[in-house]
Amino acid sequence: MDGRSGITIKKKIFRAIYSLILLLTLVVDGLVFYTYKNDIENKILYFGNQTIDEMSMNMAKNILSAEESITFKIDSCNLFSAGGERSKYEENSKEIKVFVSLIGNSGMKVQSCYLERVDETKVFWTNGTVKKEDFTNSKAGKYLEENKDGWNQNRGTVLWRRFSDAPDSIYIIKNVINPDTLKKEGVLCLEIDESYFQSMESSRDLSIVICDEKGDLLYNSEEIDPIIRKIIHKDNQDYLTMNTKISKKNWALTGLISKHQALNNLQHLMFVLLLIEVIFFFISFFISNYVSENMTTNIKSLIMNMKRMEQGQPPERIKAKSEDETAYLVEAFNNMNQKLQDTIDQLIINQTQKEKAEYNALIAQLNPHFLYNSLESISSMAKLSDQRDIVDAIGNLSKLLRVCLSEHDAEISLKKELDYITQYLSLEKLITGGQMEWDIDCGENLLDCRVPKLILQPLVENSIVHGFHGFADPAIIIIVVREEHNDLVIEVSDNGNGMPQAYADKILASKEVRKPESDRRHIGIKSIQQRITYLYGETYGLEIRTMEQAGTTIKLRLPINRGIEDVSGIYSR
């Protein structure tokens, strides 16, 4: 198709179809995705909230049961009963071993146990993973020491805590109260494994996060540990969250389900849908190609013939290949092309006749004024009885008249043209009384070149009539002929009055030759310009270089066209 048109009609049809298909596909896919996504998320949240509520109730029962079990086992193991004098510090005593064993049987995996009585005696038990010094320097030990005074105020309280230096352990801190006297007997700190909460998770598809009454993390499922901070601050977009409270303890229980896992089936559905759409795109490609090709066949033929016309080749008659609106364009193009060809043929005939008439008129535009002056001079010479000059003058004049009236060729040799201009200059010198000189410089290798007949006479006449009008100094005309860039260049220069360069450019730029009564100065110049254009084309013509009071040079550029003729001589006077 034409490169200047940018995008072809076929491409436009393709782009329109596929843009529409793509837009509709994106809209449908978006609606399907968001509809199913919201529906799935709502159902997951609904069932998730039910699950998390049930889990919350079960955890509340189990935790309260565990706390009651700890209280009962403390009483049964006589950890605080008076059994004689106690040492300030005991480690792995019989009573505490029995207590830890009973706690372990209830489902809690005890890592260590620390007991501090009101009489400041202390008991410590460990399974070997923790030493007494490590416990004392841990955050749990420091927490007990810092809140020692507060245990008296929170009598009977059971606190569940998790510390960052022991992320796999849960600490149960309990104020021990004598049920009979209601007096505080000491503080018990049990370190249990976090698997205790893991055993209470009722669904493997649901991850949980438990925060204590202060909002600090108490337990979280292992697989969501890296994003736990975001979950606590409600700044996570990768999980569906369900929130509830664990009664009695005022803990926050959060259930989480991965959106990626929840929407996995939806992604599979979208993949299948996308695969179907790709197949549909391929099918629609071939259908659209067939339709667009059928719609643009006639247009392609029209464009191909228009290109032929641009390249100067005759267009072919087009046969419509599809019977639609473009078939009318094809028929109209064929009719217009036929009329255009007829019109062009007629224009060529008319133009040829016009150019012949104009050329003949230009040839006939030789100013007869010099002939009248010549005859008048000859008459004056006859009165003075100067026989020899009269003979020479009449001879030159007869040769010029022979060229003007007898020669019918449009082109003559450069040698003949220089002979004629020499004879013309001789007559003009006679008319001016010898106040004019000239010089002609031409190499013999150029004398056989063919040039338009009388091409130099109007230029020399302009120099004499206008360049030397009122000129007091000796008049000089120089004609130089040379070869330049494979062209024949002839320069006619004078030392006369000259003219403004802008006026000279205006003469050459003028489209038409003015009438003689308007301004004869540029009749000869425009005649030569048009003759050269008619004969050789726009590449060749005239160039004027001039300046007021500094003379004028007219440069002719012609093609080198050599003929066969006897040439010799150099012309100067």
Side-chain angles (χ1 to χ4, degrees):
M1 304 293 278
D2 191 354
R4 293 174 296 178
S5 62
I7 303 176
T8 62
I9 295 177
K10 184 177 180 179
K11 288 183 178 179
K12 289 181 179 180
I13 294 174
F14 265 115
R15 292 186 181 184
I17 293 174
Y18 275 90
S19 296
L20 181 60
I21 293 174
L22 180 61
L23 179 61
L24 291 175
T25 302
L26 291 175
V27 171
V28 172
D29 288 351
L31 291 175
V32 170
F33 179 79
Y34 284 106
T35 301
Y36 277 89
K37 176 177 175 291
N38 292 332
D39 183 63
I40 291 173
E41 288 181 353
N42 290 333
K43 288 180 178 179
I44 290 175
L45 288 174
Y46 174 76
F47 291 107
N49 282 319
Q50 288 184 334
T51 303
I52 205 72
D53 288 339
E54 292 177 1
M55 192 182 299
S56 172
M57 290 187 292
N58 291 333
M59 282 187 176
K61 292 178 182 179
N62 291 334
I63 290 169
L64 291 178
S65 176
E67 291 179 355
E68 292 174 357
S69 177
I70 291 173
T71 302
F72 175 75
K73 289 177 175 57
I74 289 174
D75 294 338
S76 64
C77 292
N78 298 320
L79 291 176
F80 292 92
S81 61
E85 186 177 350
R86 299 188 182 95
S87 61
K88 271 292 188 184
Y89 173 75
E90 291 180 305
E91 189 167 331
N92 295 331
S93 64
K94 179 181 178 181
E95 292 85 2
I96 202 166
K97 284 182 179 179
V98 173
F99 173 74
V100 170
S101 177
L102 292 174
I103 294 298
N105 292 334
S106 65
M108 293 184 182
K109 187 177 180 181
V110 182
Q111 305 287 344
S112 67
C113 180
Y114 174 78
L115 174 65
E116 183 176 350
R117 303 183 182 95
V118 292
D119 59 3
E120 296 185 352
T121 60
K122 301 176 182 178
V123 181
F124 182 73
W125 176 91
T126 178
N127 62 356
T129 59
V130 181
K131 295 181 180 180
K132 172 64 171 60
E133 293 78 9
D134 296 334
F135 177 80
T136 303
N137 295 324
S138 68
K139 291 187 177 182
K142 292 179 180 180
Y143 180 81
L144 290 174
E145 187 66 26
E146 291 172 358
N147 295 276
K148 194 172 186 179
D149 296 336
W151 302 126
N152 293 326
Q153 299 176 2
N154 299 314
R155 305 180 70 182
T157 302
V158 180
L159 300 179
W160 297 64
R161 291 290 184 265
R162 179 177 182 175
F163 299 100
S164 59
D165 57 347
D168 298 329
S169 299
I170 304 295
Y171 291 86
I172 303 174
I173 303 171
K174 176 177 175 57
N175 259 339
V176 182
I177 306 299
N178 189 306
D180 297 327
T181 63
L182 299 180
K183 290 182 179 181
K184 177 180 177 180
E185 292 184 322
V187 176
L188 178 70
C189 179
L190 277 174
E191 179 187 1
I192 65 173
D193 191 88
E194 67 171 358
S195 59
Y196 174 75
F197 283 103
Q198 187 175 357
S199 65
M200 290 188 285
E201 294 185 44
S202 60
S203 175
R204 292 299 177 184
D205 296 329
L206 184 66
S207 302
I208 64 171
V209 176
I210 301 175
C211 295
D212 60 22
E213 68 278 3
K214 292 184 177 181
D216 296 329
L217 178 65
L218 187 60
Y219 170 78
N220 65 276
S221 298
E222 183 178 357
E223 61 271 16
I224 61 171
D225 187 67
I227 59 168
I228 196 63
R229 295 286 181 188
K230 290 185 177 181
I231 294 172
I232 293 175
H233 294 90
K234 299 179 181 180
D235 188 27
N236 179 65
Q237 300 297 324
D238 298 327
Y239 287 84
L240 297 173
T241 60
M242 291 72 68
N243 300 295
T244 188
K245 291 286 185 181
I246 298 178
S247 59
K248 304 297 183 181
K249 302 302 293 183
N250 198 29
W251 291 351
L253 175 61
T254 302
L256 299 107
I257 297 179
S258 171
K259 288 184 179 180
H260 175 74
Q261 181 180 356
L263 301 177
N264 186 48
N265 293 334
L266 176 60
Q267 292 175 354
H268 179 71
L269 174 64
M270 296 304 295
F271 175 78
V272 173
L273 185 61
L274 180 62
L275 183 61
I276 295 174
E277 289 168 354
V278 170
I279 297 174
F280 172 72
F281 280 144
F282 276 106
I283 296 174
S284 61
F285 174 84
F286 292 104
I287 295 175
S288 300
N289 182 67
Y290 173 78
V291 173
S292 59
E293 184 71 26
N294 187 52
M295 292 176 62
T296 58
T297 299
N298 291 338
I299 297 177
K300 284 182 179 179
S301 300
L302 288 171
I303 292 176
M304 182 185 67
N305 278 275
M306 289 180 182
K307 285 184 176 180
R308 290 176 60 87
M309 294 176 68
E310 288 179 353
Q311 296 170 359
Q313 301 176 4
E316 301 174 350
R317 184 171 183 82
I318 305 173
K319 182 178 180 181
K321 296 182 180 180
S322 60
E323 298 300 328
D324 50 25
E325 290 84 351
T326 58
Y328 171 76
L329 295 177
V330 169
E331 187 63 28
F333 175 84
N334 290 332
N335 295 335
M336 287 189 292
N337 178 53
Q338 186 61 47
K339 292 180 180 178
L340 179 62
Q341 290 299 322
D342 296 341
T343 303
I344 290 174
D345 292 341
Q346 187 62 41
L347 285 175
I348 291 174
I349 296 173
N350 295 340
Q351 185 66 22
T352 302
Q353 294 175 348
K354 178 182 177 183
E355 289 180 0
K356 287 182 179 179
E358 289 179 348
Y359 183 73
N360 291 332
L362 290 172
I363 292 296
Q365 282 184 350
L366 179 64
N367 183 6
H369 185 65
F370 85 97
L371 295 176
Y372 302 145
N373 289 340
S374 299
L375 292 175
E376 186 177 350
S377 297
I378 294 172
S379 177
S380 299
M381 290 172 61
K383 292 179 182 179
L384 297 174
S385 299
D386 190 355
Q387 301 290 334
R388 185 61 186 171
D389 290 340
I390 293 173
V391 173
D392 293 338
I394 291 174
N396 289 332
L397 181 59
S398 63
K399 291 179 180 179
L400 285 174
L401 290 174
R402 189 178 302 111
V403 172
C404 295
L405 303 176
S406 301
E407 292 277 0
H408 297 291
D409 294 334
E411 290 182 326
I412 60 175
S413 68
L414 180 59
K415 178 181 180 299
K416 282 187 178 182
E417 181 67 19
L418 294 179
D419 284 340
Y420 298 152
I421 203 62
T422 301
Q423 295 160 8
Y424 177 79
L425 287 169
S426 298
L427 286 174
E428 287 290 357
K429 183 175 182 180
L430 179 65
I431 294 172
T432 59
Q435 296 299 316
M436 183 180 67
E437 298 293 337
W438 68 88
D439 183 73
I440 300 176
D441 182 8
C442 177
E444 292 188 4
N445 62 317
L446 300 175
L447 291 174
D448 62 340
C449 293
R450 306 287 290 179
V451 297
K453 182 177 66 176
L454 294 177
I455 196 70
L456 297 179
Q457 185 274 331
L459 303 181
V460 173
E461 180 186 6
N462 268 346
S463 295
I464 296 171
V465 175
H466 302 291
F468 299 136
H469 179 71
F471 193 69
D473 297 331
I476 300 175
I477 294 177
I478 297 175
I479 301 175
V480 178
V481 184
R482 67 179 186 275
E483 182 178 352
E484 182 180 288
H485 303 304
N486 296 323
D487 290 334
L488 182 66
V489 174
I490 305 174
E491 290 185 347
V492 179
S493 305
D494 65 63
N495 64 336
N497 297 316
M499 64 182 123
Q501 183 65 47
Y503 180 66
D505 295 338
K506 184 178 180 181
I507 292 175
L508 291 178
S510 175
K511 297 294 184 181
E512 299 179 356
V513 178
R514 296 183 182 180
K515 295 181 180 181
E517 61 271 15
S518 175
D519 184 1
R520 288 199 53 85
R521 175 173 294 193
H522 64 276
I523 291 177
I525 293 176
K526 287 304 298 181
S527 297
I528 294 172
Q529 180 82 332
Q530 288 192 4
R531 288 173 64 190
I532 293 174
T533 300
Y534 290 152
L535 291 173
Y536 310 118
E538 299 288 342
T539 306
Y540 303 96
L542 294 178
E543 179 183 341
I544 301 176
R545 299 191 304 272
T546 183
M547 183 181 296
E548 291 187 276
Q549 307 303 321
T552 300
T553 297
I554 300 179
K555 180 177 179 181
L556 288 83
R557 182 175 294 275
L558 305 170
I560 294 181
N561 181 19
R562 299 184 183 276
I564 301 175
E565 190 168 347
D566 182 23
V567 293
S568 63
I570 198 76
Y571 302 89
S572 62
R573 184 65 179 265

